[in-house]
Amino acid sequence: MSHNTFGHLFRVTTWGESHGAALGCVVDGCPPGIRFTRAEIQADLDRRRPGQSRFVTQRREPDEVKILSGFIMDDDGETMITTGTPVSMMIENVDQRSKDYGEIARQYRPGHADYAYDVKYGVRDFRGGGRSSARETAARVAAGALARKVVPGLAIRGALISMGKKSIDRANWNWDFVRDGENPFFTPDPASVAVFTTYLDGIRKSGSSVGAVIEIVADGVPAGLGAPIYAKLDQDIASNLMSINAVKGVEIGNGFEAARITGEQNADEMRIGNDGQPVFLSNNAGGILGGISTGQPVVARFAVKPTSSILTPRRSIDRDGNEVEVVTKGRHDPCVGIRAVPIGEAMVACAIADHYLRHRGQTGRV
Amino acid sequence: MSHNTFGHLFRVTTWGESHGAALGCVVDGCPPGIRFTRAEIQADLDRRRPGQSRFVTQRREPDEVKILSGFIMDDDGETMITTGTPVSMMIENVDQRSKDYGEIARQYRPGHADYAYDVKYGVRDFRGGGRSSARETAARVAAGALARKVVPGLAIRGALISMGKKSIDRANWNWDFVRDGENPFFTPDPASVAVFTTYLDGIRKSGSSVGAVIEIVADGVPAGLGAPIYAKLDQDIASNLMSINAVKGVEIGNGFEAARITGEQNADEMRIGNDGQPVFLSNNAGGILGGISTGQPVVARFAVKPTSSILTPRRSIDRDGNEVEVVTKGRHDPCVGIRAVPIGEAMVACAIADHYLRHRGQTGRV
Amino acid sequence: MSHNTFGHLFRVTTWGESHGAALGCVVDGCPPGIRFTRAEIQADLDRRRPGQSRFVTQRREPDEVKILSGFIMDDDGETMITTGTPVSMMIENVDQRSKDYGEIARQYRPGHADYAYDVKYGVRDFRGGGRSSARETAARVAAGALARKVVPGLAIRGALISMGKKSIDRANWNWDFVRDGENPFFTPDPASVAVFTTYLDGIRKSGSSVGAVIEIVADGVPAGLGAPIYAKLDQDIASNLMSINAVKGVEIGNGFEAARITGEQNADEMRIGNDGQPVFLSNNAGGILGGISTGQPVVARFAVKPTSSILTPRRSIDRDGNEVEVVTKGRHDPCVGIRAVPIGEAMVACAIADHYLRHRGQTGRV
Amino acid sequence: MSHNTFGHLFRVTTWGESHGAALGCVVDGCPPGIRFTRAEIQADLDRRRPGQSRFVTQRREPDEVKILSGFIMDDDGETMITTGTPVSMMIENVDQRSKDYGEIARQYRPGHADYAYDVKYGVRDFRGGGRSSARETAARVAAGALARKVVPGLAIRGALISMGKKSIDRANWNWDFVRDGENPFFTPDPASVAVFTTYLDGIRKSGSSVGAVIEIVADGVPAGLGAPIYAKLDQDIASNLMSINAVKGVEIGNGFEAARITGEQNADEMRIGNDGQPVFLSNNAGGILGGISTGQPVVARFAVKPTSSILTPRRSIDRDGNEVEVVTKGRHDPCVGIRAVPIGEAMVACAIADHYLRHRGQTGRV
């Protein structure tokens, strides 16, 4: 991991600020011969795009991705084929309306990175949060859309499982429903929509905000990915998820629950399946043992804090050392965790793609 | 992060198996001029050493560290001064008694990495868990002992805050008590010792095991450490902690609790202190905003699963595809999480030392 | 070093093909607060741009750089100030005229990377050389223009010192002449212009090509940069220079000549100068001892082979295993080494900037 | 490349000083299942060991390697099989006789790294050159011995081709002679032995020293290794070779000669061989085009400067800013380049092994 790059063989570098000319990513190390279309990348981007329901910020950005390098076009004029060279993708910032940032430029919004950036760098692009804007995650999603194609048979899906004090009922889990156009929450539980709607409307109207917990499940992960001791698959997944803005906790498998139960309850016993392959009788491990994938689904969860951009005035300070009250104006996103679902999927996809290549490199297997 | 190395400027590489000749680490990138003694390194190692109470495995290892390179000896014949070249430290394996590993060599212990290593590498050192043994963590602790000295004024302390279903009372928190020689649990709550003792005795006698949650607090972290976007300080702390065997979850600050509360509750407001410096009125962020330290204490927690080495027979398979029952014999550690306290401290120390150097490199500050 | 990235703290990633939409670079880890203008970056790019004399390829590309991120604009509307976040720069490909690549798509040009790319990746963007086009070096020059500003007082200059069998006379060395607008060769010897002109006209008219040797001198390099043992400053300079297309050899200081002389002749003796500072009486070492800069000028040289794109038919094979004759048509660059001067400067600048930050990170000095 | 580590997937970290307790390396990322013996590693070490003829330093070190981790022992009790975990190897320093370093501790030997280390770190292990001692290269050779086994069919050989002003006759090249026990120079030309003997005896008796040029040839390198643009195979070979102490120049293929000839002379034409495979009609490229191996032998050369440890007094300064005369006493190595042959082989082997794994990782080929 360096400043703005992650991954070891499948490497992603992102760049760009909220209100600059554009943002983007360079995906380096992608295997040659991977076939994809711009529409596929765009589809993932559209899932994280703001402005799609009243529950997410109303900033209007088409977020149209341009793919600038690293491919040849197939004869159909639509399918791109990776050549093994860097894939550069760019999203231009359209809705960067000029406005008066007078106060924002000097005041530190509590819970935001304003103060931290200033104390670190001494200079800061304050427009729209600059580099720390949630817009940066569009670049991650674009990279993740490519990563999904690296491992044959891999399927990565995410869902919102709780919002503030409200949680889904796992008995109702329906993956198809998550991507249903009528589902503004990425929840897998149809019964939860009404609950979340009422709850979040209350939050929104009061000018408040609330956090969320997201669960990502990767099916089709080959056994053997991940490397001891400091390149564990779960470690890199945790790192990737924790790198998303506003994430404060990560779990693998049963996570913190593992600390509350006994060894008998926690161990995933094994049998031989009908196909002669090993079968696990449970998946507390979340598909990873000793940092290495076992062939079971890889399961990760992460907690997103409530955005600090709320309508209630809060006490803070400014660059000059004055005590101030900060009030957020304009766009307001009552639960930023909702849009974190496709972002979390992308980050897990990148971790798995990277480890797939690393495993193949070291061992020649897969 | 590569296979067995972590850190970018303060880099730690560990090596060694449970029953090989030795294990150790190479600490590369340590600043020159750091003064330390072998006794200081040894003191940290002694804190994680097994065999100190009936609650941890009875393997008898002196774990005496040899420091092989990277220093000159001061005139006192005791104080070592780093020269900026790699510090190689080695711990010889003494208690590697030869025994019959017949079954263990072929059977996969549920919840262990046996199966995962075999499916990845096709070959495995099964003696004592090989590379995936908890002994590897001694090398981390040795490296961490050096890391603690990199940042002036830094103090890193850890404590066990829950064990299975039992938790401490935070109102009783006493850091001094954690390192009290009479405290076999690294708990900060004196009142909890009796509770944990009774509880863990029961677990131990029934041949079972239980997990734990550890909290690490770093005081004296300068503001400005950590770098967006994929080298966030909290991300690297999460990565480092998740790389410890048996860890299934990591939190920063209020962690998963942040997902349950509102923006008003979560935001840490700021004022100007009497010394003219910024003061935060709470620390839900755990000392990190936007991936960058704010000067508040850095707070992280991690969940350790119960060891799968329990006396109850469990169903599993062997290398040849047979279904078997596995029974753990010999040494048995009812709560491996206890010893994770100094390990967690070491991993957080390494992350902070690394970011201190990186921040100084990029910005010239501190 | 990974696939398309170099540098450890000052990191440069380049992307793009000759005939794609654009090419560019992401400069990550740049210190905050560096002031620069687009015109300065452009000036360096203009120096390497084709189409400026009859001695370089006539492809017409304006090579206008766009700076997309990583800065705030100063009040003058012209000066950019780095913020410490990634600086993304892009150059759109304009002169990518569509043409019939029928044969080129299948034939392997001798001395080119066509065959190697195909055998590695199985797929290749053959248009204009694709990723292996010399156009990629524009991205290096843009990054180097920023790198030059990282180290206060650093001045990096390069010159062509030989072309084919013709060499300059070092007695005539004049740095000012190198950048003289009337000097199409980057030669420091005014007397050499007539010689090179006649020589290269002959080469050009015969449809042939010729190699060159370039010398780069960095003045103002602080002592102490570079790190043993595998991050020596000379090693990273050699690596950076050897990464330029068509480079086949690199020397530091007196280079291969050092292997021909005695220890007495080679050692650079030291005295104390009038200012009390160490003075070296010669600079055979090229400013680097043990991989660490000494404060003397850093001197490197590299050999550029003659381009294989010549008008003489040559024997080769095609993708289908047929033996063919390849003839280069169209643009023809009789000495690609000429344009390598600003590229070499950029690569040395990046190496020194990176080591400056690394040295500051580890030691806190400078 | 970081401070003391090289390689991306096949990673080597070395540590240790000349007069510390030991030195060694950690080889991380080695594929599992590689079979080797301690005797094989030792054999390579014995080739670089001092004290074997009057032409190399008389320091007596057995240089016995201990292999501490990363393998299981085969049933024969001799063959080790890598497990994919780090292979730690250590060589204890035996001949570290205590002596009076009074002057050496303060004086800067011209041409040595003494001054550079001091100015960088402010502290230095001056005993025997400390970290910058040639002894560090033993760790490289041990790592290289493992690297040789990573690529099936790979054979890496090196030879000394010139010493000072004397060169071999390539017409006499005989690889078998290089490893002949009666050949103290690693020369491939039997006729050169008498010439070199007389020449070097003269150098030695006069207390002088002389440089050398070494050529390394790798046969059996699969086509496709190496990655554009900043991970070119030739670039990493150049970097690895330049990291060896006293190396001042590196060439690939015809190297600097390429800058002197025309495109017609330089291009390696291709035909289809009898087996239907591509055949190159020459190898000016040294087996690498566009940074990628072509299947031809990979050829590299490097120049080693004469050691500065000569018996003639030379002018220098000391730590306190005094002008002094430095005289080397004791052991004296008239041509350190001789022992560089096995070191160069090891460094090329490591570069190729690393790129073999990287190529396999990205493309799944080989």
Side-chain angles (χ1 to χ4, degrees):
Chain A
M1 294 287 167
S2 71
H3 326 297
N4 291 276
T5 297
F6 65 99
H8 199 64
L9 287 191
F10 186 90
R11 296 171 69 82
V12 178
T13 301
T14 77
W15 55 270
E17 279 81 30
S18 174
H19 283 59
L23 58 87
C25 65
V26 180
V27 181
D28 194 9
C30 197
I34 290 184
R35 303 173 68 86
F36 69 104
T37 65
R38 208 197 68 84
E40 287 174 316
I41 309 287
Q42 191 64 50
D44 270 18
L45 281 166
D46 289 345
R47 292 176 67 226
R48 78 156 278 291
R49 194 154 51 89
Q52 303 187 98
S53 82
R54 70 178 181 277
F55 301 116
V56 291
T57 181
Q58 294 304 302
R59 176 168 174 163
R60 297 285 171 196
E61 285 284 1
D63 277 358
E64 282 194 9
V65 65
K66 292 185 179 175
I67 303 167
L68 300 172
S69 67
F71 65 92
I72 55 172
M73 188 65 82
D74 201 4
D75 293 340
D76 64 7
E78 190 175 345
T79 306
M80 295 161 166
I81 304 171
T82 59
T83 57
T85 61
V87 179
S88 176
M89 299 191 273
M90 182 174 71
I91 297 159
E92 289 173 273
N93 289 325
V94 175
D95 186 13
Q96 34 168 321
R97 54 183 101 157
S98 182
K99 69 173 185 183
D100 178 13
Y101 282 103
E103 284 180 343
I104 294 293
R106 306 205 67 78
Q107 292 183 348
Y108 298 133
R109 295 168 297 162
H112 280 278
D114 303 342
Y115 171 69
Y117 269 68
D118 248 12
V119 79
K120 180 179 188 68
Y121 296 119
V123 59
R124 175 168 59 96
D125 183 353
F126 49 78
R127 301 168 303 155
R131 180 69 180 146
S132 67
S133 161
R135 272 191 72 63
E136 184 271 341
T137 58
R140 302 171 186 242
V141 170
L146 258 184
R148 290 172 190 273
K149 296 184 161 264
V150 169
V151 184
L154 179 68
I156 295 181
R157 296 177 292 194
L160 180 147
I161 61 171
S162 76
M163 184 192 293
K165 298 190 182 306
K166 307 291 181 186
S167 295
I168 62 152
D169 180 349
R170 284 182 172 267
N172 296 338
W173 196 292
N174 177 352
W175 277 120
D176 290 338
F177 183 70
V178 175
R179 295 202 176 205
D180 188 298
E182 299 303 299
N183 178 353
F185 300 119
F186 295 100
T187 170
D189 171 10
S192 71
V193 172
V195 178
F196 287 153
T197 299
T198 306
Y199 180 65
L200 200 54
D201 266 336
I203 295 288
R204 184 171 61 86
K205 286 172 186 164
S206 68
S208 185
S209 66
V210 75
V213 177
I214 313 297
E215 181 165 314
I216 309 290
V217 179
D219 287 289
V221 180
L225 309 196
I229 295 291
Y230 305 117
K232 291 185 157 88
L233 179 58
D234 37 356
Q235 173 189 8
D236 283 351
I237 287 174
S239 174
N240 279 11
L241 293 174
M242 196 64 96
S243 78
I244 303 171
N245 284 342
V247 172
K248 301 302 286 184
V250 178
E251 294 183 320
I252 304 295
N254 58 354
F256 277 86
E257 175 65 13
R260 286 185 283 267
I261 60 179
T262 66
E264 286 81 359
Q265 294 166 318
N266 191 61
D268 301 316
E269 294 186 297
M270 298 178 77
R271 298 280 82 180
I272 298 293
N274 293 332
D275 59 355
Q277 292 301 304
V279 175
F280 288 87
L281 306 184
S282 54
N283 190 15
N284 289 317
I288 301 173
L289 285 171
I292 300 167
S293 63
T294 62
Q296 287 199 286
V298 169
V299 180
R301 267 181 309 285
F302 60 101
V304 182
K305 71 176 185 182
T307 180
S308 310
S309 296
I310 50 180
L311 302 192
T312 317
R314 279 147 311 138
R315 292 173 289 173
S316 189
I317 62 172
D318 67 15
R319 284 193 74 152
D320 307 312
N322 303 308
E323 299 191 333
V324 297
E325 288 226 319
V326 175
V327 186
T328 300
K329 294 168 187 164
R331 299 154 181 162
H332 164 240
D333 212 343
C335 182
V336 290
I338 297 173
R339 286 196 283 147
V341 173
I343 302 165
E345 290 175 8
M347 295 309 286
V348 172
C350 288
I352 292 173
D354 186 39
H355 275 287
Y356 178 81
L357 302 184
R358 290 160 78 167
H359 177 59
R360 184 162 73 182
Q362 187 183 9
T363 71
R365 298 173 171 216
V366 304
Chain B
M1 296 283 168
S2 72
H3 326 297
N4 291 277
T5 298
F6 65 99
H8 199 64
L9 287 191
F10 187 91
R11 296 172 69 82
V12 178
T13 301
T14 77
W15 55 270
E17 279 80 31
S18 173
H19 283 59
L23 58 86
C25 65
V26 180
V27 180
D28 195 9
C30 196
I34 290 183
R35 302 173 69 86
F36 69 104
T37 65
R38 207 198 69 84
E40 288 174 314
I41 309 286
Q42 190 65 51
D44 270 17
L45 281 167
D46 289 346
R47 291 176 67 225
R48 79 156 277 290
R49 192 155 52 90
Q52 304 187 98
S53 82
R54 69 180 180 278
F55 301 116
V56 291
T57 181
Q58 294 304 302
R59 175 167 174 165
R60 297 286 172 194
E61 285 284 0
D63 278 359
E64 282 193 9
V65 65
K66 290 184 179 175
I67 303 167
L68 301 171
S69 68
F71 65 93
I72 56 170
M73 187 66 81
D74 202 3
D75 293 339
D76 64 7
E78 191 175 345
T79 306
M80 294 158 167
I81 305 170
T82 58
T83 57
T85 62
V87 179
S88 177
M89 297 191 273
M90 181 174 72
I91 297 159
E92 289 174 274
N93 288 324
V94 174
D95 187 13
Q96 35 169 318
R97 54 183 102 156
S98 181
K99 71 174 183 182
D100 178 14
Y101 282 102
E103 284 178 343
I104 295 293
R106 307 205 68 77
Q107 294 183 348
Y108 297 134
R109 294 168 299 162
H112 279 278
D114 304 342
Y115 170 68
Y117 269 69
D118 249 11
V119 80
K120 180 178 188 70
Y121 296 119
V123 58
R124 175 170 58 95
D125 183 353
F126 48 80
R127 300 168 304 156
R131 180 68 178 147
S132 67
S133 161
R135 272 191 73 63
E136 185 270 341
T137 57
R140 302 171 186 241
V141 171
L146 258 183
R148 289 173 191 271
K149 296 184 162 265
V150 169
V151 184
L154 178 68
I156 296 180
R157 295 178 291 192
L160 181 146
I161 60 170
S162 76
M163 183 192 295
K165 298 189 183 305
K166 308 291 182 186
S167 295
I168 62 151
D169 181 348
R170 283 180 174 268
N172 296 336
W173 197 293
N174 177 353
W175 276 119
D176 290 338
F177 184 69
V178 175
R179 294 202 176 205
D180 189 297
E182 299 303 300
N183 177 353
F185 301 117
F186 295 99
T187 170
D189 171 11
S192 71
V193 172
V195 178
F196 287 154
T197 298
T198 306
Y199 180 65
L200 199 54
D201 266 337
I203 294 288
R204 184 171 60 86
K205 286 174 185 162
S206 69
S208 186
S209 65
V210 75
V213 176
I214 313 298
E215 181 165 314
I216 310 290
V217 179
D219 287 289
V221 180
L225 309 196
I229 295 288
Y230 305 117
K232 290 184 157 88
L233 179 58
D234 37 355
Q235 172 189 8
D236 283 351
I237 288 174
S239 175
N240 278 11
L241 293 175
M242 196 64 97
S243 79
I244 302 171
N245 284 342
V247 172
K248 301 301 288 183
V250 178
E251 295 183 320
I252 304 294
N254 59 353
F256 278 85
E257 176 65 14
R260 286 185 284 266
I261 60 179
T262 65
E264 285 82 358
Q265 294 165 318
N266 191 61
D268 301 317
E269 295 186 296
M270 298 178 76
R271 297 281 83 179
I272 298 292
N274 293 332
D275 58 354
Q277 292 301 302
V279 175
F280 289 87
L281 305 183
S282 55
N283 190 15
N284 290 317
I288 301 174
L289 284 171
I292 299 168
S293 63
T294 61
Q296 284 199 288
V298 169
V299 180
R301 268 181 308 286
F302 59 102
V304 183
K305 73 177 183 181
T307 180
S308 309
S309 297
I310 49 180
L311 303 192
T312 318
R314 279 146 312 138
R315 291 173 291 174
S316 188
I317 62 172
D318 67 15
R319 285 194 74 152
D320 306 313
N322 303 307
E323 298 192 333
V324 297
E325 289 225 316
V326 175
V327 186
T328 300
K329 293 169 188 163
R331 298 155 180 161
H332 164 241
D333 213 344
C335 182
V336 291
I338 297 173
R339 287 196 283 147
V341 173
I343 303 165
E345 290 175 7
M347 296 308 287
V348 171
C350 288
I352 292 173
D354 186 38
H355 275 287
Y356 179 80
L357 302 184
R358 291 159 79 167
H359 177 59
R360 184 163 71 183
Q362 187 182 8
T363 70
R365 299 173 172 218
V366 301
Chain C
M1 295 285 167
S2 72
H3 325 298
N4 291 276
T5 298
F6 65 98
H8 199 64
L9 287 192
F10 187 90
R11 296 171 68 83
V12 178
T13 301
T14 78
W15 55 269
E17 279 81 30
S18 174
H19 282 60
L23 58 87
C25 65
V26 181
V27 180
D28 194 10
C30 197
I34 290 183
R35 303 173 69 85
F36 69 105
T37 65
R38 208 197 69 83
E40 288 173 316
I41 309 286
Q42 190 65 50
D44 270 16
L45 281 166
D46 290 346
R47 292 176 66 227
R48 78 156 277 292
R49 193 155 51 91
Q52 303 189 100
S53 83
R54 70 179 181 278
F55 302 116
V56 293
T57 182
Q58 294 304 304
R59 176 168 174 163
R60 297 286 169 195
E61 285 283 3
D63 278 0
E64 283 195 8
V65 63
K66 292 185 179 176
I67 302 167
L68 301 171
S69 67
F71 65 93
I72 56 171
M73 188 65 82
D74 202 4
D75 293 340
D76 64 7
E78 190 176 345
T79 306
M80 295 161 165
I81 305 171
T82 58
T83 58
T85 62
V87 179
S88 177
M89 298 191 273
M90 181 173 71
I91 298 159
E92 289 174 274
N93 289 324
V94 174
D95 185 12
Q96 34 168 320
R97 53 184 102 157
S98 182
K99 70 173 184 183
D100 179 13
Y101 281 102
E103 284 178 344
I104 294 294
R106 306 204 68 78
Q107 293 183 347
Y108 298 134
R109 295 168 297 164
H112 280 278
D114 303 343
Y115 170 70
Y117 269 68
D118 249 11
V119 79
K120 180 178 187 72
Y121 296 120
V123 59
R124 176 169 57 96
D125 183 352
F126 49 79
R127 301 168 303 157
R131 180 68 178 146
S132 66
S133 162
R135 273 190 72 64
E136 184 271 340
T137 57
R140 301 171 186 240
V141 171
L146 258 183
R148 290 172 190 271
K149 295 184 162 266
V150 169
V151 184
L154 179 68
I156 295 179
R157 296 177 291 192
L160 181 145
I161 60 169
S162 76
M163 184 192 296
K165 297 190 183 306
K166 308 291 182 187
S167 296
I168 62 153
D169 180 349
R170 284 183 172 265
N172 296 338
W173 197 293
N174 177 353
W175 276 120
D176 290 338
F177 183 69
V178 175
R179 295 201 176 206
D180 188 298
E182 299 303 299
N183 178 353
F185 301 118
F186 295 100
T187 170
D189 171 10
S192 71
V193 172
V195 178
F196 287 154
T197 300
T198 306
Y199 180 65
L200 200 54
D201 266 336
I203 295 287
R204 184 171 62 85
K205 286 172 185 163
S206 68
S208 186
S209 66
V210 74
V213 177
I214 313 299
E215 181 165 315
I216 310 291
V217 179
D219 288 289
V221 180
L225 310 196
I229 296 292
Y230 305 118
K232 291 185 156 87
L233 179 58
D234 37 355
Q235 173 190 8
D236 284 351
I237 287 174
S239 174
N240 278 13
L241 293 175
M242 196 66 96
S243 80
I244 303 170
N245 285 342
V247 172
K248 301 302 286 183
V250 178
E251 294 183 320
I252 303 295
N254 59 354
F256 277 86
E257 176 64 13
R260 285 185 285 267
I261 60 178
T262 66
E264 285 81 359
Q265 294 166 317
N266 192 61
D268 301 317
E269 295 186 295
M270 300 178 75
R271 297 281 83 179
I272 298 294
N274 293 333
D275 59 355
Q277 291 301 304
V279 174
F280 289 86
L281 305 185
S282 55
N283 190 14
N284 290 315
I288 301 174
L289 284 172
I292 299 168
S293 63
T294 60
Q296 285 199 286
V298 169
V299 180
R301 268 180 308 285
F302 60 102
V304 182
K305 71 176 184 182
T307 180
S308 309
S309 297
I310 50 180
L311 303 190
T312 317
R314 281 148 310 140
R315 292 172 290 174
S316 188
I317 63 173
D318 66 15
R319 285 193 73 152
D320 307 313
N322 303 309
E323 298 192 334
V324 296
E325 288 226 318
V326 175
V327 185
T328 301
K329 293 169 190 165
R331 299 154 181 164
H332 164 240
D333 212 343
C335 182
V336 291
I338 296 172
R339 286 197 283 147
V341 173
I343 303 166
E345 290 176 7
M347 296 308 287
V348 171
C350 289
I352 292 173
D354 186 38
H355 275 286
Y356 179 80
L357 302 184
R358 290 159 81 166
H359 177 60
R360 183 163 70 182
Q362 186 182 8
T363 70
R365 298 174 171 215
V366 302
Chain D
M1 295 287 167
S2 71
H3 326 297
N4 291 277
T5 298
F6 65 99
H8 199 65
L9 287 190
F10 186 91
R11 295 171 68 82
V12 178
T13 301
T14 78
W15 55 269
E17 278 81 30
S18 174
H19 284 60
L23 58 86
C25 65
V26 180
V27 181
D28 194 10
C30 196
I34 289 184
R35 303 172 69 86
F36 70 104
T37 64
R38 207 197 69 83
E40 288 173 316
I41 309 286
Q42 190 64 50
D44 269 17
L45 281 167
D46 289 346
R47 291 176 67 225
R48 80 156 276 291
R49 192 155 52 89
Q52 302 187 98
S53 82
R54 70 178 180 277
F55 300 115
V56 292
T57 181
Q58 294 304 303
R59 175 167 173 166
R60 297 286 170 195
E61 285 283 1
D63 277 359
E64 283 194 8
V65 64
K66 291 184 178 176
I67 303 167
L68 299 171
S69 68
F71 65 93
I72 56 171
M73 188 64 82
D74 202 3
D75 293 339
D76 65 7
E78 192 175 343
T79 306
M80 294 160 166
I81 305 171
T82 59
T83 58
T85 61
V87 179
S88 177
M89 297 191 274
M90 181 174 71
I91 296 159
E92 290 174 273
N93 288 324
V94 173
D95 186 13
Q96 34 168 318
R97 53 184 102 157
S98 180
K99 69 173 183 183
D100 178 13
Y101 281 101
E103 285 179 345
I104 295 294
R106 304 205 71 78
Q107 293 184 347
Y108 298 133
R109 294 168 297 163
H112 280 278
D114 304 341
Y115 170 69
Y117 269 69
D118 249 11
V119 80
K120 179 178 188 69
Y121 296 119
V123 58
R124 174 170 57 96
D125 183 353
F126 49 79
R127 300 169 304 156
R131 181 67 179 147
S132 67
S133 162
R135 273 191 72 64
E136 184 270 342
T137 58
R140 302 172 186 240
V141 171
L146 258 183
R148 289 172 191 271
K149 295 184 162 265
V150 169
V151 184
L154 178 69
I156 295 180
R157 295 178 291 193
L160 180 148
I161 60 170
S162 75
M163 183 192 293
K165 298 190 184 303
K166 307 292 180 185
S167 296
I168 62 152
D169 181 349
R170 283 181 173 268
N172 296 337
W173 197 291
N174 177 354
W175 277 119
D176 291 338
F177 183 70
V178 175
R179 295 203 177 205
D180 189 296
E182 300 303 300
N183 178 351
F185 300 117
F186 295 100
T187 170
D189 171 11
S192 71
V193 172
V195 177
F196 286 154
T197 299
T198 304
Y199 180 65
L200 200 54
D201 265 336
I203 295 289
R204 183 171 61 86
K205 286 173 186 163
S206 69
S208 185
S209 66
V210 76
V213 177
I214 313 297
E215 181 166 315
I216 309 290
V217 179
D219 288 288
V221 180
L225 309 195
I229 297 292
Y230 306 117
K232 290 185 158 86
L233 179 58
D234 37 355
Q235 173 189 8
D236 283 351
I237 287 174
S239 174
N240 279 11
L241 293 175
M242 197 65 97
S243 79
I244 302 171
N245 283 342
V247 172
K248 301 303 287 185
V250 178
E251 295 183 319
I252 303 295
N254 59 354
F256 278 85
E257 176 64 13
R260 286 185 283 267
I261 60 178
T262 66
E264 286 81 0
Q265 294 166 316
N266 191 60
D268 303 314
E269 295 185 296
M270 298 178 77
R271 297 281 83 179
I272 299 294
N274 293 331
D275 59 353
Q277 292 300 303
V279 174
F280 288 87
L281 305 184
S282 55
N283 190 16
N284 289 317
I288 301 174
L289 285 171
I292 299 169
S293 63
T294 61
Q296 285 200 286
V298 169
V299 180
R301 267 181 309 286
F302 60 101
V304 182
K305 73 176 184 183
T307 179
S308 309
S309 296
I310 49 179
L311 303 192
T312 317
R314 278 149 310 139
R315 291 173 289 174
S316 189
I317 62 171
D318 67 14
R319 288 193 72 153
D320 306 313
N322 302 309
E323 299 194 334
V324 297
E325 288 227 317
V326 175
V327 186
T328 301
K329 293 168 188 166
R331 299 155 181 163
H332 164 241
D333 213 343
C335 181
V336 291
I338 297 173
R339 287 197 282 147
V341 174
I343 303 164
E345 291 176 7
M347 295 309 287
V348 172
C350 289
I352 292 173
D354 186 39
H355 275 287
Y356 179 81
L357 302 184
R358 290 159 79 167
H359 177 60
R360 183 162 72 182
Q362 187 182 8
T363 70
R365 298 174 171 215
V366 302

